[in-house]
Amino acid sequence: MDADVIIVGAGPAGLSAAITLRAAGLRVTLLDREAQAGGIPRHCGHYPYGLREYRRLMQGPAYAARLVAQARAAGAEIRTQTNVVALHPGPRLTVTAPGRVAGGVAGGVAELTARAVLLATGARETPRAARLIGGTKPGGILNTGALQGLVYLGGQRPFRRPVILGTELVAFSAILTCRHLGICPVAMVESGPRATARWPAALFPRLVGIPLHLETEVAEITGRDRVDGVVLRHRGTTRRLACDGVVVTGGFRPEAALLAEAHLARDAGTGGPQVDQYGRCSDPAYFAAGNLLRGVETAGACWAEGRAVARAMLRGLAGALPEGSTPLTASGDALRYAVPQRTAPGEGAALAGLQLRVNRPFRGRALVTAGGATLAHAITALPERRIILPLPSGPGPVTLRLEDAP
Amino acid sequence: MTAAHDVAVIGGGVIGCAIARRFTLDGAQVVLLEKAADILDGASKGNSAILHTGFDAPPGSLEARCIAEGYAEYLAIHARLGLPLIRAGALVIAWTEAEEALLPALMDQARANGVDDVEPLGAAATRALEPALAPGVRASFRVPREYLIDPWSAPLAYLLQAVANGAVVRRGCAVTGGAHDGTAWQLATTTGPVRARLVINAAGNHGDTLDRLLLGEQHFTIRPRKGQFVVYDKPAAALAGHILLPVPNAVTKGIVVCRTAWGNLLVGPTAEDQDDRDTATLVPATLQALQRRGEEILPALAGHEVTAIYAGLRPATEFKDYQIRAHRGGSYITVGGIRSTGLSSALGTARHVAALAALGTTARPAPVWPGVPNISEAAPRDWQCAGHGGIVCQCEMVTQREVRAALDGPLGARSLAGLKRRTRVTMGRCQGFYCTAALARLTEGRFDLAMAEAPDGR
């Protein structure tokens, strides 16, 4: 046994879980495939991070460094540049790393075992290809994550006058990232009728003089070696806008490639693993927390979720979690997904509640039924906006139904 | 005066690379000129990555002969060059009564092309072989020796073998003019003059314009035929063992569904004639139609994620057959109109061109056989071997050792696209979300066009 708990992914969820598990005296090993632990906040060189965790306003890299230091100080072993390539029952993990993998062969591939595994591999944005955006494939088309990596980790500038696609919170992070190196976005483009992120973030582009084009789509990207423009379509009319890059933002989806060939049940709605309210997967030796569960929550929410799921893991390792669970029955054509996908009969849920997203602008109510009682919640939401409802704690199956307002 | 090469090959696509190899192995001193920063930047960058038997080529055509010879030579040399061969086999599937009626004639055509192991299958037998196929299958026939290969490592390996045996490659070198002075061609290029006794036009989508530039005449006109493709993420590859082909029509082989050497599943190509020689524009409505077509063939494809989209331009002409002709007393050979089957036929086409040229050189007695690193899923990958230096591209599991090797050497990558074609970096589901920053650092100073720059004053 290489550790009591192996955590895959050393971002906010994985790190907070490691700290919690160490506090209970467990041997914890964190595996991260990047050269530095810390996850996405490593390359978000702007505010606001750390309010919930450290009661101070921090920038992403400082926040990530502090979490990593805290986990190390707590005695968690952190192995970077270590890729988990397969998950097996046991739990047992196949990994590869540049140097010697303890308990395995030198370099190449090795296997690690533990009493329990926490998956916390986070989320990534949907790239241009998966959105089927038309045009050519020149250099200069990046997700926010790639842009931040270049700007904050490498001090490099991939373009000077990009168009920013999308208006989720991360799009405003993209603007801040651009401004850090004097990159001046020429426009922000949103296909919906209003910005996805809530006020005041939605006011930000106007404050810094970036035109916001609503109900507009990028019909085509042009350029051979480098982007030289985009064709924008607004209500059936198109026009060309010169630019030298495109930042494709948001559309977060769990980074769940490991699940594709694993024995764990996966949810088609989130793309992540199916879990119960304790973050427990279909193989109860595996748990999951953070944005692997759904795209996407803030670093602070993932930190809190990692901590709560770690406490559930402690209960699980002590044999104190209820066994058996029933699927949550969810319906309504506006529903994109609901987490958790299963509920077990028991108290003290680790997840913050019943987390859902809609797949279109929605106004109506969510009906949550459990133990014969139904609670109605009024909802007005855009796609990609978070919706969290109280999760009934009573025994028996839970039903969720979305109903449009008449 | 510059010393004359025996042969100048213009164009670093799969045909040019195979020709450079053939003439080098035959003992000629070869220079290959490629106008782009890296090889495989034109028609050869986007194809369906199939090694065809040529079962559906017009019998008796030059294309059929070149495919047969190219196919045979690939089988003979792929292991020595480290190139994969995925023995998928193909099914030509009839979905309508009219298509079913065409199957016997297509099987006869296959046999006429020397592909005599085709095997007719009924609906049940077809679906037994490919359980994910939609229920509407009426019948099919199986072509057991249609294979999947790595479309980029193959031409790279051909050219690397040429270079290892003395050939010279100039990249970023566009031919701007030239004349024959009685003994040799004097070519003007953007990187200085080149002299060669024999010029071979392997300029793909620019073949006719190059002929006009150098010969003052053209014998065919290229009308590029665009092919768009949708590539699905790895789990979709489990849906199809065989290469799933439709019954072809006069214009196109039709929409293919097949696995790739990288473990994905692709659906494509379309066949769209256009005038533009360089720009293959992706059209969302067409890509969606491809997805729908893919889902009609494999209904379970519906839930799968798209990893990549791409478009290629095949150099189609007004003729159906290849256009290979010698001019100017045999000092100039045009290799044109190699549409769609170039990857399969390249080695055979090169043999045909060498025979046509009849240079009279003596074959190299003991040529070097440099292997290319395997990047396909058909053999162990570098990440499975010790000392790989860490994973750079997480989705495609490309190691730092692979990236460094691909940047170095006689044909080191000179563009991000070139590095992608040598290693698979950024080809995966995240399309660079995770590895762009690391790649920008690893490739600093290596590319003609940097991925990113340091801001002014740094």
Side-chain angles (χ1 to χ4, degrees), chain A residues 11-387:
Chain A
L15 289 164
S16 75
I19 294 163
T20 306
L21 294 166
R22 275 302 301 150
L26 267 59
R27 285 188 307 141
V28 177
T29 297
L30 276 150
L31 309 177
D32 198 284
R33 61 191 193 180
E34 296 292 332
Q36 302 288 331
I40 296 285
R42 272 175 317 133
H43 52 66
C44 297
H46 52 71
Y47 304 104
Y49 287 89
L51 274 178
R52 184 188 322 221
E53 302 87 328
Y54 302 116
R55 300 188 193 291
R56 47 181 291 220
L57 197 58
M58 305 169 82
Q59 293 194 344
Y63 165 77
R66 179 146 174 192
L67 263 180
V68 171
Q70 197 187 346
R72 282 220 171 86
E77 181 196 15
I78 302 179
R79 298 190 199 171
T80 54
Q81 280 193 289
T82 301
N83 288 61
V84 177
V85 294
L87 311 175
H88 313 279
R92 181 167 56 88
L93 308 177
T94 307
V95 305
T96 183
R100 201 185 122 73
V101 180
V105 295
V109 174
E111 299 210 320
L112 301 177
T113 58
R115 292 169 63 202
V117 169
L118 175 66
L119 303 174
T121 51
R124 61 175 170 81
E125 294 163 285
T126 302
R128 176 260 179 105
R131 300 173 192 229
L132 303 186
I133 296 172
T136 56
K137 294 175 67 175
I141 306 170
L142 301 174
N143 280 129
T144 315
L147 172 67
Q148 290 178 334
L150 286 170
V151 168
Y152 290 125
L153 301 181
Q156 287 187 302
R157 189 161 61 183
F159 36 57
R160 287 154 187 269
R161 296 171 51 78
V163 161
I164 294 182
L165 186 52
T167 57
E168 292 175 47
L169 208 49
V170 65
F172 304 94
S173 171
I175 294 177
L176 290 169
T177 306
C178 285
R179 291 169 62 83
H180 184 73
L181 281 190
I183 300 167
C184 301
V186 293
M188 199 164 192
V189 176
E190 165 61 47
S191 60
R194 50 191 183 276
T196 301
R198 290 178 192 280
W199 185 92
L203 279 180
F204 183 66
R206 205 187 309 165
L207 286 178
V208 295
I210 301 170
L212 171 60
H213 301 276
L214 296 172
E215 294 179 45
T216 304
E217 286 178 341
V218 172
E220 192 179 333
I221 297 172
T222 62
R224 179 168 164 80
D225 296 318
R226 282 277 160 83
V227 174
D228 63 22
V230 291
V231 176
L232 299 179
R233 188 191 296 120
H234 172 69
R235 294 181 181 166
T237 61
T238 59
R239 71 183 179 95
R240 207 183 124 72
L241 179 66
C243 63
D244 64 356
V246 179
V247 189
V248 180
T249 73
F252 279 94
R253 52 180 68 193
E255 172 59 6
L258 266 178
L259 297 178
E261 294 184 7
H263 61 296
L264 304 174
R266 194 170 175 179
D267 179 29
T270 62
Q274 288 187 17
V275 292
D276 64 15
Q277 75 268 36
Y278 303 107
R280 191 164 45 166
C281 300
S282 58
D283 173 350
Y286 282 84
F287 287 72
N291 283 331
L292 174 62
L293 293 182
R294 94 264 94 188
V296 59
E297 273 294 347
T298 60
C302 291
W303 173 87
E305 193 167 71
R307 198 164 65 156
V309 170
R311 287 183 185 136
M313 291 179 82
L314 290 171
R315 287 172 63 191
L317 288 169
L321 276 187
E323 283 184 23
S325 62
T326 51
L328 179 122
T329 311
S331 60
D333 71 324
L335 186 71
R336 202 173 109 214
Y337 63 71
V339 181
Q341 294 83 0
R342 307 182 69 88
T343 52
E347 299 295 320
L351 302 190
L354 187 54
Q355 308 176 32
L356 31 146
R357 293 284 192 284
V358 291
N359 54 29
R360 56 171 165 84
F362 175 80
R363 198 169 63 81
R365 34 180 221 160
L367 302 168
V368 182
T369 307
T374 297
L375 269 177
H377 307 269
I379 293 178
T380 302
L382 292 174
E384 304 297 345
R385 275 203 188 155
R386 73 174 60 92
I387 306 164

Side-chain angles (χ1 to χ4, degrees), chain A residues 83 135 157 224 226 253, chain B residues 41 282 305 309 394 450 453:
Chain A
N83 288 61
R157 189 161 61 183
R224 179 168 164 80
R226 282 277 160 83
R253 52 180 68 193
Chain B
D41 195 63
L282 292 156
E305 278 187 45
I309 49 180
Q394 311 287 354
E453 45 151 31

Side-chain angles (χ1 to χ4, degrees), chain B residues 263-277:
Chain B
N264 298 76
L265 188 87
L266 69 76
V267 179
T270 55
E272 307 163 68
D273 291 341
Q274 64 174 46
D275 293 323
D276 194 311
R277 307 293 183 103

Side-chain angles (χ1 to χ4, degrees), chain B residues 10 312 400:
Chain B
I10 304 174
Q400 191 175 111

